[in-house]
Every structure is written in structure tokens, then in C-alpha cells.
């Protein structure tokens, strides 16, 4: 699969470069697509409540107040009537309530500082316009409602490609901008085609090129590694199976007094691989084993990342300021080693299992109140297939309950409280 200029520039870099090209296309500076075709494309992507019939000019900005793309629509008097903001997430996920911050910024009469407070001497030039919100992703997601009750309409790069291709088909082939836009759209076509194949054939995302399963996908495998798309595609693959996993697992948990869990997909920790996890944050498991009242509760988690399944116990994992006291709570309860000792329930259970599970002792300088055991997948070549993920999770659930039965038998001996 031959590389194009835009694949090298856009896909090897951050979203900002990709956003700059999109912003250029949706502006008067780009002559490749006529204004009305750009408006039609934007309407089909954003789905405004009414059509933009009186727009005669389009301008675009990138990184205005940290927003990826702003498209400014003006009428024949040069008056700004509408602003379209697009958050571009091709290689990473949303973070830090950013959509809420962005819609708050656009709705504020004054520019806001980093703490969300108005700057008295800086007026927001887009305050009086009608605002429209878009959320651009590689694979289809649900639209997102932010903390200000603003709906960010999700659309994919595949949809963006289709709309811009329709517009370009009506364009002037003699204009130099036409060939630039066409090259960019060819790069998008390659990207979305490879992504579609990978989601349908996840062996491309999780196995080395040498595995027999990947014999038919060498070009896709090379493309994904070259342009660093594996991580985001793993996330999207797990998202595609998430609901089935959650339904099946919660049905299975009915055998354990109706305990339930939620399924979470994330980019994972300290790895180039995504994670799918079962989170147990309430129910009998937490009430019986990780209730530290009046100091709150902990949680259990069963996760898989890069073919390794893990069972963990934690207390406010992201609270670094109180890590020491949270570690103490887990240690007193027997769910974390005390310094220099292999005296947790994880250690006892790993010994009982004769090497099936490996203990992951936190580093001495870790500021996380968490400990876990892990084991490799039973079928390393196909562990990521939905049925196998579900089967492995069920086996891990049984192991968790088996470990807690051991805990109940020995807790008095070890004075865990």
C-alpha cells in the first residue's frame, strides 16, 4: 500500500495537522470544493436544526482556546451567524471534561481563564453566534452529551470522507486545490478502509505479523504499525464487543448472589495496548471485603491487556495524595503486602495455585493503593475474540471468588480486619 504525502504528514503526527487540513477544506481559502457543497457536507455531518441558506463565506481556525477546529459561517453582509466546533479524536480519547469546558467557553461572553473564570478585558467574539458541536472519530461512537447538556454529534472519518468526496466530484479539476484535496481524500480512504478491515479481523491488531492468521493482512498490519493506529483501533474493537461482554458477564454473575459489574474500555496503563475490564464498585463483594467505613470503599477489577488477565484490589487508585493511608487500609485488610513481606491474600492464593497466577507487587515508590495477580490467556492466539474474552473473564470471576473463600478461611489467622 503506497504512502501518500497526507498519510505521512497527517497520520504520523498529532491530530493538529489533520485538523489543519480539515479546517482549510472548510474555508474560502480552499477552492477545490464549492461553497454550497461544503455547506451540504457540514450539514450532513453536524445535522443542524435548520439549513444554512444565507451563508456566503466560511472561515476556519485551529486551536482557538484549545478547540481543534472552529468553522465560522457568515452571511452576505459579512455578519457571523453560526460557529461549528469540531473536536478531532483520531488517536486519543476525551479527557478532563474537555467538551464541557469548550461549550462553556463558547457560551461565555468573556474569554475564560484556565480555571473557568471570565477574563474581564477579553470578549468572546463568537458569543452571539449560533453554536454547533461535532465530535470526529475514526470508528463510530455515540454522540456525547457534556456537562452543560450540550450534544456533540459524532461523525466518523468514513462519513467525512464520503461527504467531501461528493463535494469534490462537483469541483473544478483545473484548480490546483483540487489535486491537494484529492490527495488528502485518498489518504482518508486508505485509513478508513484499513480500520474497517482491522475491526472485522482483530488478529491484525493483537498478533504479530508472522502469525498465520495475518498472512492475508500484511499490508493492513504494516499500515497500522507505520501510522501508529493500533492503540486506537484496539480501543474501538473492545468498544464494539463491550455491550455483549457486559450482558453475558452480568448474567453469569447471577450465580454469585446477583453481584453485578460494569465493563470499561480504556487506553490502558504504561502500554501500547488497550484494556477491557470488569469493574466491581458496589454489591456484596465490596460490602463484605472492601468497605473501609468511614474512609470509603475500595473496588475489585478484572482486566485484560495484551493477552494478560489480571485480578486487582484497589482503594482510590487515582488519589495520589492519600495513597499512603489507602495502602494501609488495604494492608490491614490483607489485600496488599506490608513492606518486605509476602503476606497478602494474593500471595497465599498464588502459592495455592502452583504457578497459575503471578503476584504483581507494587513498586516501593508507587503512589497507588493497588495490588494484583495476573496470568496469561489460555488461548494466546485467539484470546481477543469476543467469545474467548467472555470465557476468560468468567474463569477469572471464579478465581476471584475462590480466592475470597480462601480469604474467609484464613483471615482470623492473619488478623486481617
Amino acid at each position: 500500500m503506497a504512502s501518500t504525502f497526507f498519510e505521512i504528514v497527517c497520520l504520523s503526527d498529532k491530530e493538529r495537522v489533520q485538523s489543519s487540513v480539515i479546517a482549510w477544506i472548510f474555508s474560502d481559502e480552499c477552492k477545490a470544493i464549492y461553497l454550497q457543497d461544503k455547506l451540504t457536507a457540514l450539514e450532513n455531518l453536524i445535522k443542524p436544526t435548520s439549513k444554512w441558506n444565507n451563508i456566503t463565506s466560511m472561515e476556519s481556525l485551529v486551536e482557538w482556546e484549545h478547540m481543534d477546529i472552529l468553522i465560522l459561517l457568515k452571511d452576505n453582509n459579512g455578519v457571523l451567524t453560526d460557529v461549528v466546533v469540531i473536536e478531532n479524536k483520531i488517536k486519543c480519547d476525551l479527557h478532563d471534561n474537555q467538551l464541557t469546558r469548550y461549550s462553556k467557553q463558547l457560551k461565555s461572553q468573556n474569554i475564560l481563564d484556565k480555571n473557568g473564570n471570565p477574563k474581564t478585558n477579553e470578549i468572546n467574539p463568537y458569543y452571539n453566534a449560533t453554536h454547533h458541536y461535532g465530535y470526529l472519530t475514526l470508528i463510530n461512537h455515540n454522540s456525547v452529551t457534556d456537562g452543560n447538556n450540550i450534544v456533540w454529534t459524532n461523525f466518523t472519518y468514513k462519513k467525512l470522507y464520503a461527504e467531501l468526496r461528493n463535494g469534490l466530484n462537483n469541483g473544478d479539476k483545473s484548480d490546483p486545490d483540487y489535486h491537494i484535496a484529492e490527495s488528502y481524500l485518498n489518504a482518508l480512504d486508505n485509513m478508513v478502509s484499513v480500520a474497517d478491515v482491522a475491526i472485522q479481523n482483530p488478529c491484525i491488531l493483537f498478533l504479530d505479523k508472522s502469525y498465520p492468521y495475518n498472512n492475508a493482512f500484511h499490508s493492513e498490519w504494516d499500515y497500522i504499525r507505520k501510522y501508529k493506529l493500533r492503540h486506537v483501533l484496539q480501543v474501538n474493537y473492545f468498544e464494539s464487543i463491550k455491550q455483549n461482554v457486559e450482558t453475558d458477564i452480568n448474567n453469569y454473575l447471577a450465580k454469585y448472589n446477583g453481584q453485578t459489574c460494569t465493563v470499561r474500555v480504556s487506553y490502558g496503563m504504561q502500554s501500547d495496548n488497550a484494556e477491557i475490564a470488569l469493574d466491581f464498585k458496589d454489591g456484596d463483594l465490596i460490602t463484605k471485603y472492601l468497605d473501609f467505613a468511614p474512609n470509603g470503599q475500595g473496588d475489585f477489577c478484572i482486566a485484560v491487556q495484551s493477552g494478560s488477565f489480571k485480578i486487582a484490589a484497589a482503594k482510590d487508585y487515582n488519589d495520589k495524595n492519600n495513597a499512603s493511608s489507602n495502602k494501609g487500609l488495604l494492608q490491614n485488610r490483607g489485600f496488599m503486602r506490608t513492606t518486605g513481606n509476602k503476606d497478602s491474600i494474593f500471595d497465599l492464593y498464588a502459592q495455592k495455585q502452583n504457578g497459575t497466577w503471578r503476584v504483581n507487587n507494587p513498586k516501593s515508590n508507587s503512589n497507588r493503593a493497588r495490588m494484583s495477580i495476573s496470568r496469561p490467556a489460555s488461548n494466546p492466539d485467539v484470546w481477543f475474540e469476543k467469545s474467548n474474552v467472555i470465557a476468560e473473564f468468567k474463569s477469572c470471576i471464579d478465581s476471584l471468588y475462590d480466592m475470597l473463600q480462601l480469604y474467609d478461611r484464613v483471615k482470623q489467622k492473619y488478623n486481617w480486619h
Side-chain angles (χ1 to χ4, degrees):
M1 185 177 292
S3 297
T4 70
F5 170 77
F6 281 107
E7 283 170 335
I8 294 171
V9 171
C10 295
L11 296 183
S12 296
D13 207 333
K14 298 179 181 179
E15 281 95 344
R16 183 176 297 186
V17 179
Q18 187 84 253
S19 296
S20 295
V21 180
I22 297 169
W24 170 72
I25 290 177
F26 284 109
S27 74
D28 292 342
E29 295 178 1
C30 175
K31 309 299 183 183
I33 303 175
Y34 298 125
L35 174 65
Q36 187 53 54
D37 287 327
K38 293 179 188 179
L39 289 171
T40 298
L42 206 53
E43 286 174 348
N44 289 339
L45 295 171
I46 300 297
K47 298 179 174 59
T49 54
S50 59
K51 290 186 176 297
W52 297 310
N53 293 321
N54 300 312
I55 302 302
T56 60
S57 176
M58 301 178 77
E59 298 178 17
S60 294
L61 304 170
V62 291
E63 294 298 320
W64 182 80
E65 295 299 321
H66 306 292
M67 300 177 207
D68 290 336
I69 304 170
L70 250 61
I71 302 172
L72 315 178
L73 308 182
K74 298 182 179 181
D75 64 18
N76 53 10
N77 295 314
V79 176
L80 177 67
T81 63
D82 295 78
V83 174
V84 178
V85 56
I86 298 174
E87 184 61 20
N88 177 17
K89 289 298 179 187
I90 186 172
K91 288 187 179 179
C92 63
D93 206 356
L94 296 171
H95 57 86
D96 298 334
N97 299 314
Q98 63 187 125
L99 299 186
T100 301
R101 290 187 284 110
Y102 296 163
S103 62
K104 181 180 179 182
Q105 179 70 269
L106 277 175
K107 287 177 170 295
S108 172
Q109 190 166 3
N110 293 77
I111 300 295
L112 304 178
D113 62 23
K114 64 181 181 179
N115 296 316
N117 300 316
K119 299 178 181 178
T120 56
N121 60 339
E122 293 189 41
I123 301 298
N124 171 12
Y126 313 120
Y127 169 70
N128 289 317
T130 300
H131 305 137
H132 311 270
Y133 303 87
Y135 173 37
L136 174 59
T137 54
L138 182 54
I139 303 295
N140 188 54
H141 287 247
N142 293 326
S143 293
V144 177
T145 301
D146 69 19
N148 298 316
N149 206 32
I150 297 297
V151 176
W152 293 70
T153 300
N154 177 238
F155 62 95
T156 65
Y157 270 93
K158 187 174 186 176
K159 179 66 173 174
L160 175 67
Y161 164 78
E163 293 296 335
L164 292 180
R165 176 61 73 184
N166 287 338
L168 191 65
N169 288 341
N170 298 325
D172 180 4
K173 293 184 179 180
S174 66
D175 192 292
D177 286 356
Y178 181 95
H179 302 289
I180 297 173
E182 183 178 44
S183 177
Y184 174 65
L185 291 188
N186 288 340
L188 284 193
D189 189 23
N190 283 343
M191 179 178 69
V192 299
S193 297
V194 169
D196 282 348
V197 172
I199 294 298
Q200 296 301 316
N201 301 276
C203 56
I204 303 170
L205 304 175
F206 295 100
L207 299 181
D208 290 340
K209 187 177 181 180
S210 60
Y211 276 83
Y213 301 104
N214 280 327
N215 284 341
F217 305 112
H218 281 185
S219 61
E220 289 86 356
W221 195 97
D222 290 338
Y223 184 99
I224 288 168
R225 268 63 178 182
K226 181 175 183 179
Y227 297 117
K228 300 178 176 65
L229 294 173
R230 182 177 66 172
H231 211 157
V232 67
L233 288 174
Q234 284 187 5
V235 169
N236 282 285
Y237 170 73
F238 284 145
E239 287 284 357
S240 74
I241 68 172
K242 174 183 174 181
Q243 190 56 58
N244 290 128
V245 172
E246 186 165 290
T247 299
D248 204 318
I249 291 300
N250 278 308
N251 287 338
Y252 184 75
L253 280 166
K255 66 187 277 188
Y256 291 110
N257 298 322
Q259 175 68 47
T260 60
C261 71
T262 57
V263 176
R264 168 178 50 86
V265 175
S266 71
Y267 275 70
M269 297 181 295
Q270 300 175 345
S271 172
D272 191 32
N273 292 281
E275 177 182 86
I276 183 169
L278 313 180
D279 288 327
F280 301 83
K281 295 182 178 294
D282 51 31
D284 289 346
L285 278 180
I286 306 306
T287 301
K288 185 174 181 180
Y289 298 101
L290 294 178
D291 187 351
F292 301 105
N295 297 308
Q297 295 180 324
D299 61 85
F300 288 113
C301 172
I302 300 174
V304 58
Q305 186 178 20
S306 192
S308 178
F309 285 81
K310 183 180 295 184
I311 299 173
K315 173 68 170 71
D316 297 333
Y317 176 81
N318 291 314
D319 184 359
K320 298 180 181 180
N321 294 328
N322 295 301
S324 179
S325 60
N326 286 330
K327 285 180 182 180
L329 293 173
L330 288 176
Q331 289 167 348
N332 290 339
R333 194 65 60 88
F335 287 103
M336 196 168 188
R337 286 178 178 176
T338 55
T339 303
N341 296 300
K342 297 181 179 181
D343 54 357
S344 72
I345 187 59
F346 292 113
D347 292 289
L348 295 180
Y349 187 68
Q351 294 168 15
K352 177 176 176 287
Q353 294 298 307
N354 296 321
T356 302
W357 292 94
R358 177 176 66 88
V359 181
N360 305 303
N361 187 39
K363 295 179 180 178
S364 58
N365 60 350
S366 172
N367 54 4
R368 308 282 193 180
R370 186 175 189 266
M371 192 169 174
S372 65
I373 52 175
S374 61
R375 65 163 176 80
S378 303
N379 298 297
D381 293 356
V382 290
W383 68 266
F384 45 83
E385 293 180 359
K386 180 176 67 177
S387 60
N388 291 323
V389 170
I390 291 172
E392 294 274 15
F393 274 153
K394 289 178 179 178
S395 175
C396 289
I397 288 169
D398 292 340
S399 293
L400 172 59
Y401 276 92
D402 189 36
M403 181 178 73
L404 294 176
Q405 287 178 353
L406 173 63
Y407 180 94
D408 291 337
R409 293 195 299 270
V410 302
K411 65 180 181 180
Q412 288 186 338
K413 174 182 177 181
Y414 288 91
N415 195 30
W416 291 332
H417 55 280

